[in-house]
Amino acid sequence: MSAADLTGLDAFLRIVGDDLGLDVEHPAGADLALTEVPGWDSLNLLRLVVLLEESGHRVPVHRLLEAQSLRDIHTLVKEYG
Amino acid sequence: MTDVHIAATGTALPGDPVDNTTLAKMLGASKEWIDLFVGTRTRYFGWDPATGEVHGSLADLCAEAAAQAVRASGLGLADIEFLVLATATPDTLLPTTATEVADRLGLDHLPVYQIQAGCSGAVQALDLGRSLIAGGRHAGLVIGGDVTYRFLSPRQDAAKIPTNELVNYVLFGDGAGAAVLTAEPEGERIAVRSVLNSWTGRGRQPGQLLDWYGTTDRDSDRPMLAEDYKAIEEHVPPIASEILWDLLGGLGWSLDDIGFLLPPQLSERMTARIVERLPDCAAREVSCVADTGNTGNALPFLQLDRLVPELADGDRALGLCVESSRWIRAGFALEKV
């Protein structure tokens, strides 16, 4: 997978759903507060960080902690390229 | 019950410390995440984090810690009248690791017990040792240790590991600890004033699972280990406070009487969270998990080993331990005499 693959929100939500196994509606789930995303927790954050790195997106964890929603995380993914 | 005394302690940690950079590489995970969410700086593995090659066993570590404790106690091996070993991860089901350790130490013709337990096993060993001494024995060894080589391995696929299994990789390490118990004050002269050991898990789901496979189910895909970390985060802090009050109340001690506190050691961050929620007191915290990782049954002994040089005559200390596998409350109260 190349770095460009996750710049689209759909592709990003797909890995959250398929690879993390979280039940996130497309696209409404992107704006849910992370605390409201079923199954979202710190360990799934770690798994997401790994998935992002495997896809060539290295986003610092301390920046991800500022995110309130999956859309915020996706914005950081785009910001860090 | 008559007081027993801790005459000396010993510890063993295998190889060099494994830092978070190495652990992250082993898992294909994020060092920054481990730093932020676990906080533990180093742990020890009796296996190579790059290749998985196993260098040592639980018996190796327990024998090393026990021999160190006996040497430090000033007693001879001939003075040791029983051995109790607590572990969740024996090298083999039979012979017990306890008998293997007795053999390596050169002990013979004495009762040897093995307790199957999680982190509270060290306190269970202390409890059993206390009963043996109350029954007329003069001195004995209590040992606790755990190893991870059957449960963790280098795999570099953190994203594919279920979260309740993944958490174990960032928490645990290998280690062993031991103490020599005596009927009369000897060596360090630390009186065990009270031991709390109470199962309180009736009707509750396990917080930690550690399974094993045999010849008939070796191809099973059921998980070997899983931790309900959310239940642990929720329940351990209040239980730790309850243990503290139980110990104090049973002895008629007040918080101000306590010079040292040995809190549960889950991870650096989790232990900090537990301590924050304990009642305010001036007692100095004695923790090891940030340096050693969570070593299960070894932890209370590793903490004791750090406490011993700090204790002055008359000082009092409390140890708190919560075993989340099936919710066992454990603890002990000490006083240097």
Side-chain angles (χ1 to χ4, degrees):
Chain A
M1 196 180 285
S2 72
D5 285 338
L6 295 183
T7 53
L9 182 62
D10 279 351
F12 173 72
L13 291 179
R14 205 171 303 122
I15 70 159
V16 171
D18 295 348
D19 296 342
L20 293 187
L22 302 183
D23 188 14
V24 179
E25 282 185 37
H26 294 226
D31 295 307
L32 268 184
L34 286 171
T35 51
E36 301 298 318
V37 174
W40 179 259
D41 62 19
S42 58
L43 268 299
N44 273 316
L45 172 65
L46 171 60
R47 294 174 70 218
L48 180 61
V49 170
V50 173
L51 286 169
L52 292 175
E53 291 192 3
E54 285 174 359
S55 305
H57 301 272
R58 186 175 291 270
V59 186
V61 176
H62 68 273
R63 292 298 317 276
L64 291 171
L65 293 179
E66 298 164 5
Q68 302 293 313
S69 65
L70 289 170
R71 187 184 296 279
D72 289 350
I73 292 178
H74 182 244
T75 301
L76 288 166
V77 170
K78 288 189 292 183
E79 180 183 330
Y80 280 86
Chain B
M1 187 182 281
T2 314
D3 284 334
V4 301
H5 301 83
I6 295 171
T9 55
T11 64
L13 298 163
D16 296 324
V18 175
D19 63 17
N20 289 343
T21 301
T22 306
L23 182 67
K25 194 173 169 190
M26 178 189 112
L27 275 176
S30 155
K31 173 189 180 293
E32 187 188 6
W33 185 95
I34 299 170
D35 289 341
L36 287 170
F37 283 92
V38 184
T40 301
R41 295 183 292 269
T42 55
R43 71 288 295 152
Y44 296 75
F45 294 129
W47 44 277
D48 189 318
T51 66
E53 184 186 353
V54 178
H55 299 308
S57 66
L58 179 67
D60 292 335
L61 293 174
C62 289
E64 183 184 338
Q68 192 184 102
V70 174
R71 274 196 306 275
S73 73
L75 274 65
L77 284 170
D79 299 316
I80 300 300
E81 297 178 4
F82 63 84
L83 182 153
V84 184
L85 187 152
T87 185
T89 54
D91 290 320
T92 53
L93 295 180
L94 289 175
T96 64
T97 305
T99 57
E100 179 64 24
V101 171
D103 190 37
R104 292 185 191 203
L105 292 173
L107 298 170
D108 210 0
H109 298 287
L110 77 171
V112 170
Y113 303 86
Q114 183 158 309
I115 294 170
Q116 179 75 28
C119 356
S120 73
V123 182
Q124 295 179 41
L126 191 60
D127 200 20
L128 177 54
R130 198 168 64 133
S131 297
L132 291 166
I133 284 182
R137 309 276 177 183
H138 298 96
L141 266 168
V142 289
I143 307 167
D146 276 301
V147 290
T148 55
Y149 63 82
R150 278 207 172 80
F151 301 93
L152 308 180
S153 59
R155 48 189 294 175
Q156 283 136 18
D157 63 347
K160 294 189 175 65
I161 307 174
T163 53
N164 62 0
E165 183 181 349
L166 178 58
V167 66
N168 296 282
Y169 277 85
V170 294
L171 293 181
F172 289 104
D174 299 355
V180 171
L181 299 186
T182 52
E184 300 300 324
E186 296 187 46
E188 295 292 342
R189 305 173 61 88
I190 300 169
V192 181
R193 295 298 191 204
S194 176
V195 176
L196 173 68
N197 172 24
S198 179
W199 179 63
T200 57
R202 185 178 174 193
R204 301 182 68 176
Q205 290 299 308
Q208 178 84 44
L209 169 83
L210 197 63
D211 204 346
W212 56 281
Y213 300 143
T215 51
T216 57
D217 61 354
R218 63 197 310 164
D219 299 323
S220 165
D221 59 0
R222 71 180 190 275
M224 280 278 268
L225 76 170
E227 177 173 307
D228 186 348
Y229 49 90
K230 289 180 181 168
I232 289 171
E233 281 175 10
E234 179 183 351
H235 297 304
V236 169
I239 292 174
S241 290
E242 289 164 17
I243 294 169
L244 181 139
W245 289 120
D246 278 358
L247 286 167
L248 290 177
L251 287 162
W253 291 2
S254 75
L255 268 179
D256 295 336
D257 295 328
I258 306 305
F260 299 89
L261 186 65
L262 287 56
Q265 306 286 291
L266 287 82
S267 68
E268 189 276 338
R269 288 284 182 273
M270 188 64 192
T271 291
R273 216 173 301 161
I274 292 166
V275 171
E276 277 169 19
R277 291 183 55 180
L278 289 173
D280 278 339
C281 68
R284 277 176 53 195
E285 178 188 342
V286 180
S287 286
C288 63
V289 68
D291 303 319
T292 64
N294 184 336
T295 54
N297 281 280
L299 283 168
F301 292 111
L302 300 182
Q303 290 170 280
L304 274 175
D305 197 65
R306 291 181 174 210
L307 170 72
V308 163
E310 306 294 326
L311 274 183
D313 285 355
D315 280 349
R316 290 172 170 176
L318 287 189
L320 315 176
C321 186
V322 182
E323 178 169 336
S324 55
S325 70
R326 206 61 197 274
W327 307 106
I328 297 171
R329 296 169 185 227
F332 49 86
L334 308 175
E335 183 172 5
K336 177 122 172 170
V337 295

